[in-house]
Amino acid sequence: MGNWKRGFAVVSSAIIMTSGLLASSAFAAAPTVRRDAPVVHLTYWNMWSGIWTQVVQKMVDEFNKTHPTIQVTMTSVPSANGEQKLLTAIAAGDAPDVFTEWNPYIAAFAQQHALMNLSTFMTGKYAGLKHWFYPVAAKWGEYKGSMYAMPWTMNSFLLYYNKTFMKQAGLNPNNPPRTLAQLWADQAKEWKITKDGVVQQIGYYPAGNFEQLMPMFGATPGDFFNGKKYTMTSPKAMSIMNFFAKFKKYPYTQVNAFEKGLTGAAGGSEDPFELGKAGFIVNGMWEMPTIQQFNPKLQYGVVPIPVNPGGYYNTTWVNGNYNEIPTGSKHPQQAFEFIAWLSGYQNAAWAARAYPTGGWIPNSAVITKQPAYQKFLKQAPLRKKFVDVMLSVHDAITPVTPVDMFYEQKLANAQDYVLEGKKTPYQALLHLQQVANQQLQQTK
Amino acid sequence: MSTTVNVVMGKKSVKPKPSRARLRRNRLIGWLFISPWIIGFLAFALYPFIASLFYSFTNYNILSPPQWIGGQNYQQMIKDPLFWQSLYNTLYYTVVFVPISTVIAIAIALLLNMKIKGLAIYRTLFYLPSVVPLVASSILWVWLFNPSFGFIDAFLRAIGLPAPGWLYSDAWVKPSLVLMSLWGIGQPIVIYLAGLQGVPNDLYEAAVLEGANTWQRVWYVTIPMISPVILFNVILGLIGSFQYFTQAYVMTQGGPDNSSLFFALYLYQQAFQCLHLGYASAMAWLLFVLILVATLFVFRSSARWVYYGGEQ
Amino acid sequence: MVILERNLSARYSSRRFKLMTASTIKHLVLILLAISFVFPMFWMMSTSVKPDFEQLRWPPVWIPNPFDFSNYPNAMNFEPFFQYITNTLVYCVLTVVGTLVSSTLVAYGFARIDWPEKNFLFILMLATMMLPFQVTMVPLFVLFKTLGWVGSYKPLIVPTFFGSAFNIFLLRQFFMTIPNSLSEAAYIDGANELVIFWRIIIPLAKPALATVALFQFIYGWNDFLGPLIYLNDQSTFTISLGLQNYVSSYGTQWGLLMAASTVATLPIVVLFFLAQKTFIQGISLSGLKG
């Protein structure tokens, strides 16, 4: 870091401290800064953007106010090419003290000793952290039995259904599908394709939902990865892909354009459902504020994803945002204190008030049970369903391996091959298994 | 070495040879004039070049130190079907985009060089797509190219033509991206316009006196006179096309079925998503050689078609 | 006599008619082409004044109904927008100065002086553009880290004072079209190379210099990867980084994004409009035959 940067840090910390002093004289309850206590400065990067930058900045401000000896400076890195910045900084030994990452990189970073083993910090007053999180949330952050990434806020997935379309198709909008067979039958009635092959409305299209459908077929990470190798031709994987194969009767290119239409643009997440062009979609809770903003008239409902015989109803596939401490961090102990605080451990009441400002699903049932969070859920009954599915013991995640990023890319390709009819489910999965295992071998 | 390069560069000495003393003096002055670049090259470019060449012979995942593995990355490249696919995609893009964009940019520059009212506005309008941030315009492209609601397909169907799947079809994704890139030729247009100002009027007058029509004047006067900037734009177009990345990264991520997986995109995925910076470096150096060969080839040919006023 | 006069006037008017149709056709062609080129900008501006519920309508709404200008103040308050604009402006102006000072000198060395090693060095210079940035990025970052420059604008500005291959090449092409006889004459009159460079080449190459300055400015304005990698402090960010803040995989603020993009693009458009006269009208070599 250059002198200029250091200069800025001094100035900004001076500002923070002055404002802290001012605040403390104004509100007697606020902690005062002890002049002789050394202040540790942490740099913290994340890839939050949009309204979430402000949500997280407020949390950091709150931490700085309540922890006078640790001052955190947050940088919100644009998520486009964000990993490039992070990796480059790590390579040059210039990594921040803390960063928030999404899950597919965790095991790769842990394998290369780029992250600190968080389990070693979980002693004394932090001993309880080991059992604090939703088990499925904790598993994403673990590599070879130790935690390398601390769960912060989680994503769960449910089925959205368009009530108007159901009525138009002669279905009962108060009786959304509970089984995949019923979903298949219901959605088939909602497609609108003109004579010259132009798609105007779709029912349901499963592209990209392979992982979200795992628990619906009773699949666990163990079905796809045996601890050493990917086993993608296992019966569970085959049964999911066979479900995909049914959809090859729809014109792939046209539907693909429809589905990916807006997702492909500039990292946005828009989809045909929220624009009132699709009958069903599997998605997370962020779909709701988007509909509220851009298409407020849409009549829709949310239910757990329908299941296959042998699958588990009222469950979900989970991913989320995780906090990590790079190996190069200069103040790991303080960094750990910061991320433990963010996760709501020992300050669950605060987390229960703060998480709803971002519409977040907590990492722990303890936070969910807090009165403040329950109050939030009461006001938003649809959101409650996203939180309720977090309690299932059958919730699933993708196998955590060092080539996760690669695996997810190739899995997306495999789904496309099957939907397009270019490969049979077995061919697509076998190919996926081969390239993923090859990649796994190369990373050793 | 310098004589080889002279031949490669297609430069024949037309001028009478300067005296030995002047050559010696010129050498010193020449080095002095370009010394800023030499210093910059030694300070900021040389180390990254050598380091990336070194990485190309290592197993380097960015997170831990590189390990020497000899030529394995290069051997693996030959066996990697995605490497060949991305190479093909990039060559396709380059071969289609560079000639088409050159012709269209010159044509528009000629149009914008006429004496008509409102030229300043026209010139500005043609430059607009080059300055609209991609983050804002990409959503428009996705809409324009949408087979169901897109403007382009609606138009094609209206006049009874088949409507392709554009960005979402294996066969059409590359032509779609070329089409999109053609919107961004504002920069070459500006360079051609600047070049056109250097064409002396009396050359046109002489051509008119000899009875040349408009096309003949363009072909025999304008094109040769702006050939130095054509050379510039062709070479920059080559370098840019071989490294084509951004639109594919933002809009197609290489799909469908890898048909828009361009070389630089695959290289990026290998480096920062699969954490194989060693392999990516080997790919980059192969690309480097390809671009260098193509550039030298163009330079060599330029002796036959580039005319420098300064050489008379 | 009368017949002749009538003939003459008929010929005169038919010529005028021809001229008029020619000019109408030219305008028509230009307008048709221009419409397609204006499209992205038009789309951006129209979306920026749409109410939320019209921004993602499918098929799209071209003319907002009703107009909603609230995206502009909202976008400006969403993040320190004008701070980002100011940062970008300072950064761009400094790189333009650096580029003009260094690239003209180097281009002169390559274009106007005959010396043995220049062609080899010229190819070497072009070669620096041929290796993708993705693989030189990490070692370059390490280099700047060693110099203690990371976190500041130095890695983005200082190198421009040593010339960039793109600009040097462009200027070289223009310098080479200037007739040799001009500098030869000055040389015989006793002028040294610096005098020739400053008194003859620079004045004649003003349009090329304006072009290079404009390109460098716009390059800095739109550069994303450089500022992303080297800047760590939110308050030092450029506008290209700032625009990304409206985008999120959990939901993009389209209206704000379009409003902010419009405000960020307009200065460039105005700059171009004002500058285009300089680089289009400046040079005319007629009468300066070699």
Side-chain angles (χ1 to χ4, degrees), chain A residues 1 23 153 184 203 218 249 277 305 318 336 369 383 386 421:
Chain A
M1 260 175 235
T153 140
W184 167 254
K249 73 176 240 194
K277 299 286 178 190
I305 304 172
V318 172
F336 185 80
K369 282 178 194 144
R383 282 184 182 269
F386 284 92

Side-chain angles (χ1 to χ4, degrees), chain A residues 294-366:
Chain A
F294 294 109
N295 192 7
K297 287 180 188 155
L298 190 73
Q299 297 285 312
Y300 70 96
V302 177
V303 281
I305 304 172
V307 292
N308 215 40
Y312 305 109
Y313 192 65
N314 217 358
T315 59
T316 187
W317 178 81
V318 172
N319 68 1
N321 298 283
Y322 286 76
N323 287 316
E324 302 159 11
I325 307 175
T327 314
S329 169
K330 281 146 226 121
H331 310 286
Q333 191 61 50
Q334 285 83 355
F336 185 80
E337 201 177 328
F338 174 55
I339 63 174
W341 185 87
L342 284 178
S343 76
Y345 183 65
Q346 291 181 335
N347 52 326
W350 165 81
R353 281 193 315 274
Y355 286 11
T357 58
W360 290 356
I361 295 174
N363 50 37
S364 163
V366 180

Side-chain angles (χ1 to χ4, degrees), chain B residues 1-2 5-6 9 11 15 18 22-23 25-27 29-31 33-34 36-41 43-45 47-49 51-52 55 60 108 111-112 114 116-117 120-133 135-137 139-141 143-144 146 149 151 182-183 185 187 190-191 193-195 197-198 200-202 228-229 231-232 235-236 239 243 245 264 267-268 272 277 280-281 284-285 287-288 291-292 295-296 299 308-312, chain C residues 26-27 29-31 33-34 36-41 43-44 55-60 62 102 105-106 108-110 112-117 119-132 134-140 142-144 147 149 158-159 161-163 166 168-170 172-174 176-180 184 187 193-194 197 211 215 218 222 243-244 247 254 257-258 261 265 268-269 272-273 276 279-281 283-287 289-290:
Chain B
M1 185 68 202
S2 68
V5 177
N6 266 330
M9 302 259 306
K11 300 259 303 175
K15 280 166 283 184
R22 192 165 170 193
L23 261 184
R25 204 188 60 104
N26 274 357
R27 181 181 233 165
I29 294 175
W31 278 94
F33 264 98
I34 70 153
W37 176 75
I38 299 275
I39 295 167
F41 174 77
F44 304 122
Y47 170 69
F49 256 63
S52 72
Y55 295 157
Y60 183 34
I108 293 180
L111 277 174
L112 291 178
M114 297 182 305
I116 52 170
K117 274 184 195 164
I121 293 172
Y122 283 126
R123 284 169 183 162
T124 310
L125 295 184
F126 281 96
Y127 198 67
L128 285 182
S130 318
V131 293
V132 174
V135 59
S137 63
I139 182 171
L140 169 72
W141 294 115
W143 260 328
L144 285 181
N146 190 294
F149 295 102
F151 179 74
L182 287 177
W183 256 261
I185 54 173
Q187 180 165 304
V190 167
I191 296 174
L193 271 172
Q197 308 311 306
N201 260 332
D202 45 5
V229 286
L231 176 70
F232 173 84
I235 288 187
L236 263 293
I239 295 177
Q243 298 185 13
F245 172 78
L267 188 154
Y268 169 85
F272 294 101
L277 189 55
S281 300
W285 273 88
L287 184 68
F288 174 83
I291 302 178
L292 188 65
T295 307
L296 289 176
F299 257 113
Y308 290 107
E311 280 185 341
Q312 277 179 315
Chain C
K26 282 174 190 171
H27 275 287
V29 170
L30 278 174
I31 287 170
L33 275 170
S36 71
F37 275 77
V38 169
F39 224 55
M41 184 84 179
W43 168 256
M44 179 173 84
Q55 286 159 14
L56 294 180
R57 268 272 205 89
W58 224 2
W62 298 108
S102 57
L105 281 168
V106 178
Y108 183 89
F110 279 130
R112 308 290 302 180
I113 306 172
D114 215 8
W115 51 292
E117 295 86 7
N119 285 341
F120 170 72
L121 287 170
F122 182 69
I123 290 288
L124 184 66
M125 185 194 75
L126 288 187
T128 60
M129 287 192 282
M130 297 173 192
L131 201 61
Q134 284 100 333
V135 297
T136 52
M137 194 178 81
V138 169
L140 193 60
V142 172
L143 183 80
F144 286 127
L147 292 171
W149 289 4
V158 175
F161 280 80
F162 297 92
F166 175 90
I168 294 170
F169 185 16
L170 182 58
R172 169 194 183 260
Q173 296 308 94
F174 279 100
M176 284 181 80
T177 59
I178 298 171
N180 234 344
E184 251 343 272
Y187 184 76
E193 299 284 356
L194 264 182
F197 167 73
T211 311
F215 286 170
I218 290 172
N222 293 332
L243 287 183
Q244 289 288 335
V247 178
W254 290 106
L257 171 68
M258 297 299 173
S261 301
T265 311
I268 301 278
V269 176
F272 183 88
F273 182 77
Q276 59 92 21
F279 56 71
I280 306 293
Q281 287 176 350
I283 199 169
S284 173
L285 288 173
S286 56
K289 268 184 284 178

